[in-house]
């Protein structure tokens, strides 16, 4: 091998008359030695390995600008990089594309590709999806850390109203910020449950009373409890609206729209009860009030604000629109086919219950979904055989898309737990780093928040937080507010 190296590489600073395609170079990446041919590397002249072919003519300065070390005796280039990632990167010279090995961090692999000057367009599409997913995770962790740091800090430049607004917002939106905020969150959760129970109990005839016209209405005690709960929901919504940083975004948020739908029927029905009788008949007013009372079921969705499980379920259903569409399509095809067959096969029976194909849709729905009310059923032998086949097909059609939906739920739930743990880990590292530097108390002090600002001009000894965090040997280092590129060596890992 050494002979090959002496035969292929010229001395540094000399001019080789041999064509670049005939040259062989020896590279040692993390202890793994490999011989590469010049005709292979010249396919991509912009890469670092291709530049090694012509670097010897520029002397040792050109050599050490491309590699970490060079052995003139062995004519060998040394690189302190990840050898596993290098084995994947050099696939571009052989196959024209790069596949990321399983177990390698996508962010670290992207840094390796940047070091070897291989464009990301050569990365396979399946590997690009892993890279984009990891980027989103890191951005989410950085966003959570930044939100927590913003809550911990107090900006002296803000006015009294801005500080009060920020305090109220944190008190109502972040239960983990303090013990009173947690108590208020629990109280709000209990009031949601109480109002839902009161709404159900108000429909029990034994708990209703007769009004002046002899109609059954809710018990006054239940109405008072309902009024108290609505008052709390209204106060909570108005305080959150006035203290929100972006009121338009707040008003258009889905959960806040649910809050409005939960309290609006109470005030509309109250207005119709006292003022509507003058403009319309009493019967129409009572019907409108009864319809609005049904809208009170929207308040049960307020539980999603206090339940991470319900939020995870909602996200899983969003990500499973394709599977849900397949489920509906399977059922729609089966319902149409089996209802038409059932109608045709049951026409020979004199007491058939299948009067038309649209009416048979109901039988096909309750059969394929394994409900089977029994209000309509086949009476002929062929009809019963058709019902048995429709039942089996319905079970299969429903079971097929369920597994991807469950996987989406589990994946998102585990991902949220990992992101939450990573954000807490990053904050712990920040506290330890600020404590060791003696910059003041760790936590929500102003000194800690100053570390997030960009580096000070020359002459000042106030390094940025990103530089401090880089020194702390964090396996989950995330540049929060800087645009610097931090390359990891093969000795570092990414959690």
């Amino acid at each position: 091998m050494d002979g090959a190296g002496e035969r292929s590489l010229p001395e540094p600073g000399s001019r080789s008359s041999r064509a670049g395609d005939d040259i062989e170079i020896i590279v040692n990446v993390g202890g793994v030695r490999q011989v590469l041919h010049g005709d292979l590397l010249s396919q991509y002249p912009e890469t670092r390995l291709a530049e090694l072919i012509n670097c010897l003519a520029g002397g040792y300065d050109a050599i050490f600008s491309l590699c970490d070390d060079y052995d003139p005796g062995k004519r060998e280039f040394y690189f302190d990089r990840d050898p596993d990632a290098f084995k994947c990167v050099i696939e571009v010279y052989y196959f024209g594309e790069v596949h990321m090995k399983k177990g390698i961090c996508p962010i670290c692999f992207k840094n390796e590709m940047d070091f070897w000057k291989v464009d990301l367009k050569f990365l396979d599409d399946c590997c690009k999806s892993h890279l984009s997913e990891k980027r989103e995770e890191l951005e989410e962790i950085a966003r959570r850390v930044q939100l927590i740091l913003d809550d911990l800090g107090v900006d002296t430049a803000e006015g009294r109203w801005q500080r009060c607004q920020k305090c109220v917002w944190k008190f109502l939106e972040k239960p983990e910020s303090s013990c009173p905020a947690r108590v208020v969150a629990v109280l709000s959760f209990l009031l949601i449950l109480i109002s839902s129970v009161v709404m159900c109990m108000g429909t029990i005839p034994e708990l209703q009373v007769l009004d002046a016209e002899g109609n059954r209405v809710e018990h006054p005690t239940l109405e008072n409890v309902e009024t108290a709960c609505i008052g709390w929901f209204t106060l909570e919504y108005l305080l959150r609206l006035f203290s929100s940083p972006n009121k338009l975004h707040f008003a258009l948020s889905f959960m806040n729209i649910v809050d409005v739908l939960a309290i609006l029927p109470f005030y509309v029905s109250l207005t119709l009860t006292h003022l509507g009788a003058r403009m319309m008949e009493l019967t129409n007013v009572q019907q409108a009030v009864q319809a609005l009372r049904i809208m009170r079921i929207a308040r049960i969705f307020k539980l999603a604000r206090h339940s991470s499980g319900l939020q995870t379920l909602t996200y899983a259903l969003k990500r499973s629109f394709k599977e849900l569409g397949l489920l509906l399509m399977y059922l729609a095809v089966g319902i149409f086919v089996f209802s038409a067959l059932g109608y045709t096969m049951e026409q020979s029976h004199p007491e058939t219950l299948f009067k038309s194909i649209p009416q048979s849709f109901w039988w096909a729905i309750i059969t394929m979904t394994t409900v089977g009310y029994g209000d309509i059923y086949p009476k002929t032998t062929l009809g019963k055989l058709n019902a048995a086949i429709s039942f089996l097909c319905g079970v299969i059609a429903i079971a097929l898309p369920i597994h991807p939906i469950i996987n989406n739920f589990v994946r998102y739930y585990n991902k949220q737990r990992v992101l939450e743990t990573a954000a807490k880990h990053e904050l712990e590292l920040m506290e330890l780093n600020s404590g060791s530097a003696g910059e003041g108390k760790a936590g929500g002090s102003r000194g800690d928040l100053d570390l997030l600002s960009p580096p000070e001009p020359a002459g000042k000894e106030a390094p940025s937080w990103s530089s401090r965090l880089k020194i702390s040997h964090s396996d989950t280092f995330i540049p929060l507010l800087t645009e610097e590129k931090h390359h990891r060596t093969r000795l570092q890992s990414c959690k």
Side-chain angles (χ1 to χ4, degrees), residues 342-360:
Y343 169 76
T344 304
M345 295 175 180
E346 289 296 310
Q347 291 305 303
S348 60
H349 198 281
E351 297 179 358
T352 179
L353 299 176
F354 294 78
K355 303 300 182 182
S356 64
I357 292 181
Q359 185 184 10
S360 302

Side-chain angles (χ1 to χ4, degrees), residues 15-310:
R15 297 183 178 273
S16 174
S17 60
R18 190 183 299 251
D21 292 347
D22 298 334
I23 295 179
E24 293 179 349
I25 64 173
I26 305 174
V27 294
N28 190 315
V29 180
V32 178
R33 197 166 181 264
Q34 192 161 357
V35 178
L36 300 174
H37 297 272
D39 57 348
L40 190 68
L41 302 179
S42 60
Q43 300 177 13
Y44 305 99
E46 298 85 6
T47 60
R48 184 179 292 266
L49 291 176
E51 293 176 357
L52 291 177
I53 300 175
N54 302 320
C55 72
L56 292 175
Y60 286 106
D61 292 338
I63 293 175
F64 287 106
S65 65
L66 295 175
C67 64
D68 297 321
D69 200 1
Y70 175 70
D71 188 348
K74 297 181 180 180
R75 310 290 176 83
E76 189 171 345
F77 299 91
Y78 292 89
F79 295 89
D80 186 18
R81 309 298 299 186
D82 187 358
D84 294 330
F86 177 73
K87 293 177 182 178
C88 301
V89 172
I90 61 174
E91 289 182 358
V92 69
Y93 300 103
Y94 296 97
F95 309 111
E97 61 181 4
V98 178
H99 286 273
M100 186 168 52
K101 191 179 188 180
K102 186 176 181 180
I104 299 178
C105 173
I107 302 299
C108 296
F109 188 80
K110 187 256 182 188
N111 293 337
E112 291 293 323
M113 292 187 65
D114 292 341
F115 175 81
W116 296 110
K117 299 182 180 180
V118 177
D119 198 278
L120 285 177
K121 66 182 180 180
F122 297 108
L123 190 63
D124 194 70
D125 292 337
C126 63
C127 302
K128 285 181 181 178
S129 63
H130 292 298
L131 178 60
S132 60
E133 182 179 355
K134 182 61 66 174
R135 280 177 173 172
E136 292 176 359
E137 290 180 3
L138 294 178
E139 291 174 358
E140 177 66 19
I141 294 174
R143 186 188 66 83
R144 294 189 179 199
V145 172
Q146 186 62 58
L147 288 175
I148 296 175
L149 292 176
D150 290 342
D151 293 337
L152 294 177
V154 178
D155 192 355
T156 56
E158 294 179 346
R160 180 177 299 178
W161 166 249
Q162 286 79 10
R163 291 197 300 269
C164 180
Q165 183 180 9
K166 186 176 181 181
C167 182
V168 173
W169 175 258
K170 182 171 66 173
F171 182 79
L172 295 175
E173 286 289 325
K174 303 182 184 300
E176 69 279 0
S177 61
S178 62
C179 184
R182 192 175 295 108
V183 172
V184 170
V186 173
L187 178 61
S188 179
F189 181 82
L190 293 177
L191 288 177
I192 294 173
L193 294 180
I194 292 174
S195 63
S196 302
V197 172
V198 167
M199 181 186 67
C200 297
M201 294 179 62
T203 60
I204 300 177
E206 289 77 7
L207 298 180
Q208 294 177 343
V209 296
L210 298 177
D211 59 2
E213 288 80 14
N215 299 320
R216 289 187 174 275
V217 295
E218 290 186 2
H219 197 279
T221 303
L222 298 180
E223 289 186 353
N224 294 334
V225 175
E226 173 79 8
T227 303
C229 293
I230 292 295
W232 171 266
F233 297 151
T234 305
L235 177 63
E236 182 186 31
Y237 179 82
L238 293 177
L239 289 176
R240 291 172 53 246
L241 175 62
F242 291 143
S243 62
S244 63
N246 190 340
K247 293 179 173 53
L248 179 61
H249 181 268
F250 176 88
L252 297 179
S253 176
F254 173 76
M255 291 307 304
N256 295 324
I257 293 176
V258 170
D259 292 341
V260 173
L261 293 178
I263 62 178
L264 190 60
F266 176 82
Y267 294 103
V268 175
S269 61
L270 190 65
T271 303
L272 289 177
T273 301
H274 293 280
L275 302 179
R278 303 176 183 177
M279 297 179 291
M280 62 182 73
E281 297 181 0
L282 182 60
T283 304
N284 296 332
V285 172
Q286 291 176 348
Q287 293 177 352
V289 170
Q290 189 66 24
L292 288 172
R293 286 181 179 274
I294 299 299
M295 293 181 60
R296 294 185 299 175
I297 60 176
R299 70 187 58 175
I300 199 65
F301 295 105
K302 289 171 62 67
L303 294 175
R305 182 183 301 278
H306 307 280
S307 174
S308 59
L310 290 177

